[in-house]
Structure formats: C-alpha cells, structure tokens
Amino acid sequence: MNVSEAIRTKRAVRQFTDQPIPDDALQAILKAGQHAQSSKNVQPWRFVVVRERDTLVRLSQCGTYAGHLAGAAMGIALIMQPGYEFDIGQAAAYMQLAAWELGIGSCLATIYEPDKAKAILGVPDAWDFKYALSFGYPQPRPASATKRKTQRLPLTELVHWEHW
Ligand SMILES: Cc1cc2nc3c(=O)[nH]c(=O)nc-3n(C[C@H](O)[C@H](O)[C@H](O)COP(=O)(O)O)c2cc1C
C-alpha cells in the first residue's frame, strides 16, 4: 500500500478482533510516531503502550466516546507537553497510517477526564494526557454500515484558490 492509498482508504476502526498485534507491527507503529514532525523538532510526546485488558477498560471510562479502548488489542496513550496539541496529532496520524498499512485499524479517543486517566497510568503532573489511540485488527463490517459517515466534503467546498 502506498501513502496516498493509505490516506484515502483509512477509516476509524472501533471494533476489533481478538488477534494480538505482533511485536514487529508494534515497533513499526511506534517508529512512525517517533519520526513524526513537530514544531522545532521538540518531539513533545511520550507514548504509553497498554495491552493489559483491565487498564484498557479503565481508560475507556475516561471519555464519553472512549469506549472502543476497552476492546482494543492495544492502546497507546498520547502523552504530550502542554500546548502541543497540533504536534501530538501529527504523531497520532503517522502511527495510524503505519498501522493501516499493516492491516491494523485504529481510532482516537478523547480523554475527557485527564486527571483520572493520568492516575491510571502514573503520568507525571507536568505532562498532559488528552488523547489515546485504540489499535487492533478490524472486526469485519458490511461496507454499508460506515458509508454515509465516512464521506468527506468535496474539494469545491473545502478549497479556496488564492483568496477566501
Ligand atoms: C481530535 C480527534 C478526536 C477524536 N476523538 C474521538 C473519540 O473520542 N471517540 C471516537 O470514537 N472517535 C474519535 N475520533 C475519531 C473521529 O470520530 C473520526 O476520525 C472521524 O469521524 C472520521 O472517521 P472516518 O475516517 O472513519 O471517516 C477523534 C478524531 C480526532 C481527529
């Protein structure tokens, strides 16, 4: 799969099979995050890999829409220096695309209760924990189940040329 195909076909995956993620795939995902771009190359992130079911379930209870973490083969907590939300998004996207290339689905989870989530993982006070990623092999779903929601706005609506 080339980069443009990965970008075009990647969808949020929230339901996963029980198949564990092999170590080489995990390394590829982590390296993609490691190589992401960041402002002034500060690399304002740390990644906490979570595979213990109990911890995933507890994290899934830290956000209204974080439930998919409970059934993930693996979660990665995206820990960031305060104020670097754009940067952590870059690392997340790189990791998600690297996973997709390997047939591994993923989805972001917004952490609405950061203090509770930080306590679960023992994250130091100086760091923020606002997002986590679920990863796993996708549970097969009929294409019709996701079609409407996955549509993107047309370029004619998104793009302005030379001036707004
Ligand atoms: C900043 C951000 C936060 C998100 N938070 C959640 C979340 O809390 N729960 C969730 O299920 N999906 C979350 N998502 C995933 C989006 O819902 C998903 O990317 C979007 O609906 C497009 O999905 P698609 O690529 O399958 O079309 C988040 C995505 C982003 C970029």
Side-chain angles (χ1 to χ4, degrees), residues 106-129:
S106 64
C107 188
L108 273 155
T110 306
I111 301 296
Y112 285 66
E113 296 181 82
D115 292 340
K116 184 170 146 189
K118 282 171 71 172
I120 292 167
L121 297 185
V123 177
D125 283 346
W127 294 82
D128 277 355
F129 180 10

Side-chain angles (χ1 to χ4, degrees), residues 10-14 65-66 68 107-112 131 149-152:
K10 187 189 89 53
R11 294 278 82 88
V13 174
R14 299 180 178 85
Y65 306 103
H68 51 82
C107 188
L108 273 155
T110 306
I111 301 296
Y112 285 66
Y131 301 100
K149 281 191 155 187
T150 62
Q151 278 175 358
R152 297 297 193 254

Side-chain angles (χ1 to χ4, degrees), residues 2-3 5 8 13 19 26 30 36 41 49 56 59 65 71 91 98 105 116 134 141-142 151 155:
N2 62 31
V3 175
E5 188 186 358
R8 189 171 47 78
V13 174
Q19 190 181 343
L26 171 57
L30 293 173
N41 198 28
V49 179
L56 287 167
L59 289 175
Y65 306 103
K116 184 170 146 189
S134 289
R141 300 187 72 198
Q151 278 175 358
L155 286 181

Side-chain angles (χ1 to χ4, degrees), residues 6 11 24-25 29 31 36 43 45 47 50 63 65 82 86 91 100 107 128 131 140 148 151 164:
R11 294 278 82 88
D24 56 346
I29 292 167
K31 281 184 178 160
Q43 304 168 69
W45 45 57
F47 310 127
V50 180
Y65 306 103
F86 189 94
W100 190 244
C107 188
D128 277 355
Y131 301 100
R148 196 186 63 79
Q151 278 175 358
W164 178 271

